Amino acid sequence: MSANLKIRLRGLRKSFGEKVVLDGVDLDVAARHSMVLLGGSGSGKSVTIKCILGLIPPDDGVVEIDGRDVTRLSRRDRAELLDRTGMLFQNGALFDSLPVWENVCFKLLAQNRITRRAARDRAAEVLAQVGLAASVGDLSPSELSGGMQKRVALARAIASKPDIIFFDEPTTGLDPIMGAVIDGLIVDCVEKLGATAFSITHDMASARRIGDHAAMIHKGRIIWAGHAEALGHTGNAMVDQFANGEREGPIQMELRR
Amino acid sequence: MTAPIDIVAGLGRAVMGASAHVGALVIFAANALAQLFRPPYGPRQFLRHFVEIAYFSLPVVALTALFTGMVLALQTYTGFARFNAESAVASVVVLSITRELGPVLTGLIVAGRVGAAMAAEIGTMRVTDQIDALRTLSTEPMKYLVAPRLLAGTLALPLLVVVANTLGVMGGFLVATLSLGFAGPAYLSGSWDVLEAMDVISGLIKAGVFGFLITLMGCWYGYQSQGGAQGVGKATTKAVVAASILILAFDYVLTQAFFSR
């Protein structure tokens, strides 16, 4: 598997003041696979993804993408890496000041890889992939519903045809049907692009739909990793309790102290 | 009772904290200025902010300048009449407007209107992950958000001050001729004769400096926002207060530099 490894984390540590968020995270993500990182609120999921993307510098540890330690990349190499990645943020993080089509083709326009006229056509093409009409491109993000904003954010994440896509809580705030629709679109888009997907969520239905592999982070450490199909009957009491949404169990016991 | 060493330690911590704050701000500004010279360039962003600052501030700047000139003429006349020096009204109005009131009032108005909007916009982008999103879209936030605003502010304020100076002097002229009995040609020649190039140039240089400071404060406090809507609100207030104080402080420094003999 190591020859086919896309993302490799070793001993990743990050603290904010005295609060230890990541306490030695080790995780492997194989190329062209979809990894889902599970964990409760405040368990370190978002910080992990931000450390991988270089949005937050880790205190210690190794973050490798395609065998290169991204924490030691030059400005140019980091830009090159980010060119190959896409990210869907939890709340969409669409730019309010730009219409939808400019949001979708933002990266292509910012790097002068495309003219504005061609960007409109490309935006319409990508919006169609996520089930939105081309006319949506002329709207402002504030005019869209939550589900449409997620679709636009997904369109923006895939518009530059990245080979790694990160999804931060892709179904948070959506109704179950819209959540399933977004998950379906994620799976389709990732398959079509042949990309590696790294998602974080605490929505188990979503995790089972979009992940072929899964891992669980608890108190800043990976406590289980395996096939997503095994979720709910992994044999790890904490993971099974989390996956089955049970009140009683080791995690809740700790919260009661 | 507080020991003297504790007072010294507290003072030292305050000085260290202030120094770190100023140092971080200088690095922030230098980083943004460096981005101006790195391709790809973003004329669209610059134009958007230039229009926002220069064009949309025009009405409020124009009205403020006009009424300030009118009030200044009236007050100068009533004050100077006690010493039979009414003839100095034209020169007092034109020098006060071009040297001080034009740039300072324009700066304070733009600080309230534009500085606050910039801090709120960038602050909202910070707390809604839009700045992180820029990074993941291979775009340096300093280049996209800060550099074009600094350039636009520095270039737009002098233009606004030209308008403010013109309307301020016009306001004085209107009051002097329509209400105070001055002859129009005499008032205008009284203004023109006393005016030197340096009076106008110093005002325009001040305006450029004020434009830079206003946008720098808006961007800096917006960029440092934390904690949701409350954090954005605090950033907005700090940006306006800091810009206003810096405008007044730098006005003194620049006046000292230009006019002290």
Side-chain angles (χ1 to χ4, degrees):
Chain A
M1 183 172 162
S2 61
N4 199 23
L5 221 51
K6 195 72 178 175
I7 302 170
R8 179 174 173 268
L9 309 180
R10 287 293 177 272
L12 194 61
R13 292 176 194 281
K14 181 69 188 176
S15 301
F16 295 99
E18 291 184 359
K19 182 173 171 53
V20 179
V21 179
L22 301 182
D23 190 17
V25 170
D26 298 328
L27 189 65
D28 294 336
V29 183
R32 293 174 177 253
H33 280 67
S34 180
M35 165 64 79
V36 177
L37 183 60
L38 300 165
S41 300
S43 58
K45 303 188 298 295
S46 292
V47 175
T48 303
I49 223 168
K50 286 184 176 179
C51 284
I52 297 172
L53 280 165
L55 300 176
I56 296 176
D59 296 337
D60 196 11
V62 173
V63 180
E64 284 182 3
I65 294 181
D66 290 328
R68 300 177 71 188
D69 187 349
V70 301
T71 60
R72 296 164 197 271
L73 290 181
S74 64
R75 181 195 290 258
R76 179 175 293 185
D77 288 342
R78 176 169 292 283
E80 198 179 295
L81 171 72
L82 287 171
D83 281 350
R84 298 191 290 112
T85 62
M87 168 82 182
L88 187 154
F89 284 84
Q90 184 174 349
N91 56 13
L94 298 173
F95 304 126
D96 308 319
S97 56
L98 302 177
V100 165
W101 73 269
E102 275 194 69
N103 267 282
V104 171
C105 288
F106 187 91
K107 187 190 277 188
L108 301 172
L109 284 166
Q111 297 174 329
N112 294 327
R113 282 157 61 180
I114 194 168
T115 63
R116 291 180 70 78
R117 178 171 292 187
R120 274 182 174 272
D121 295 339
R122 173 71 183 143
E125 194 182 306
V126 186
L127 286 171
Q129 281 182 44
V130 298
L132 292 174
S135 58
V136 172
D138 292 323
L139 300 176
S140 160
S142 60
E143 295 176 87
L144 306 177
S145 67
M148 287 170 87
Q149 287 190 8
K150 286 276 182 180
R151 288 183 193 219
V152 173
L154 176 59
R156 185 174 70 179
I158 64 172
S160 61
K161 300 180 179 173
D163 66 357
I164 311 174
I165 313 179
F166 296 88
F167 300 98
D168 184 355
E169 309 273 9
T171 57
T172 295
L174 301 179
D175 66 69
I177 296 172
M178 184 52 74
V181 170
I182 295 292
D183 286 341
L185 289 170
I186 288 173
V187 171
D188 287 348
C189 292
V190 169
E191 278 179 5
K192 273 183 194 158
L193 289 170
T196 304
F198 188 104
S199 312
I200 58 174
T201 186
H202 46 56
D203 177 348
M204 292 312 302
S206 174
R208 291 187 177 100
R209 283 193 292 256
I210 62 179
D212 46 40
H213 285 78
M216 180 160 166
I217 187 168
H218 182 64
K219 291 191 172 177
R221 285 174 169 270
I222 300 294
I223 58 168
W224 175 85
H227 285 279
E229 292 163 0
L231 286 170
H233 45 87
T234 62
N236 181 311
M238 285 186 183
V239 180
D240 290 344
Q241 181 200 353
F242 187 86
N244 296 324
E246 291 162 352
R247 260 182 92 180
E248 301 300 327
I251 295 177
Q252 196 166 35
M253 290 291 285
E254 289 174 10
L255 287 172
R256 279 181 179 171
R257 277 177 196 167
Chain B
M1 191 177 155
T2 308
I5 192 69
D6 291 336
I7 296 170
V8 173
L11 193 64
R13 273 194 294 274
V15 170
M16 296 271 283
S19 303
H21 190 77
V22 171
L25 178 60
V26 169
I27 291 169
F28 181 84
N31 189 4
L33 290 175
Q35 295 291 345
L36 284 174
F37 302 100
R38 285 198 190 125
Y41 304 106
R44 190 171 286 272
Q45 283 300 307
F46 165 74
L47 278 176
R48 182 193 146 208
H49 297 302
F50 188 82
V51 169
E52 177 60 41
I53 299 169
Y55 182 72
F56 290 108
S57 298
L58 264 179
V60 65
V61 167
L63 281 174
T64 306
L66 187 68
F67 284 117
T68 301
M70 291 165 75
V71 168
L72 190 60
L74 208 52
Q75 288 283 23
T76 308
Y77 181 82
T78 53
F80 280 26
R82 296 175 195 172
F83 313 104
N84 296 319
E86 299 94 327
S87 59
V89 169
S91 53
V92 169
V93 169
V94 75
L95 291 181
S96 303
I97 292 284
T98 53
R99 285 186 178 192
E100 290 298 329
L101 294 174
V104 171
L105 288 178
T106 303
L108 292 174
I109 288 163
V110 174
R113 207 189 80 79
V114 176
M118 281 184 184
E121 185 179 348
I122 296 177
T124 304
M125 290 184 76
R126 164 64 76 194
V127 300
T128 56
D129 287 336
Q130 291 179 51
I131 291 182
D132 282 346
L134 279 175
R135 286 214 175 89
T136 66
L137 293 165
S138 308
T139 300
E140 172 55 51
M142 295 295 285
K143 183 172 190 60
Y144 184 77
L145 295 176
V146 182
R149 282 173 166 88
L150 290 184
L151 186 62
T154 306
L155 297 181
L157 259 283
L159 281 183
L160 283 171
V161 165
V162 168
V163 174
N165 287 350
T166 308
L167 288 173
V169 172
M170 191 197 288
F173 173 81
L174 289 174
V175 168
T177 54
L178 298 178
S179 169
L180 303 177
F182 281 77
Y187 185 92
L188 285 179
S189 69
S191 300
W192 187 252
D193 290 346
V194 77
L195 194 63
E196 292 179 8
M198 194 56 193
D199 298 324
V200 178
I201 291 169
S202 67
L204 297 182
I205 292 172
K206 281 181 180 181
V209 173
F210 296 164
F212 179 80
L213 292 171
I214 292 163
T215 45
L216 180 64
M217 289 300 104
C219 293
W220 165 254
Y221 283 107
Y223 215 82
Q224 306 299 321
S225 285
Q226 285 180 331
Q230 193 180 24
V232 175
K234 280 182 183 169
T236 306
T237 306
K238 282 180 184 173
V240 175
V241 171
S244 302
I245 290 170
L246 283 176
I247 284 169
L248 297 173
F250 271 78
D251 182 47
Y252 173 76
V253 172
L254 292 171
T255 302
Q256 180 81 18
F258 287 129
F259 296 108
S260 65
R261 304 285 179 193

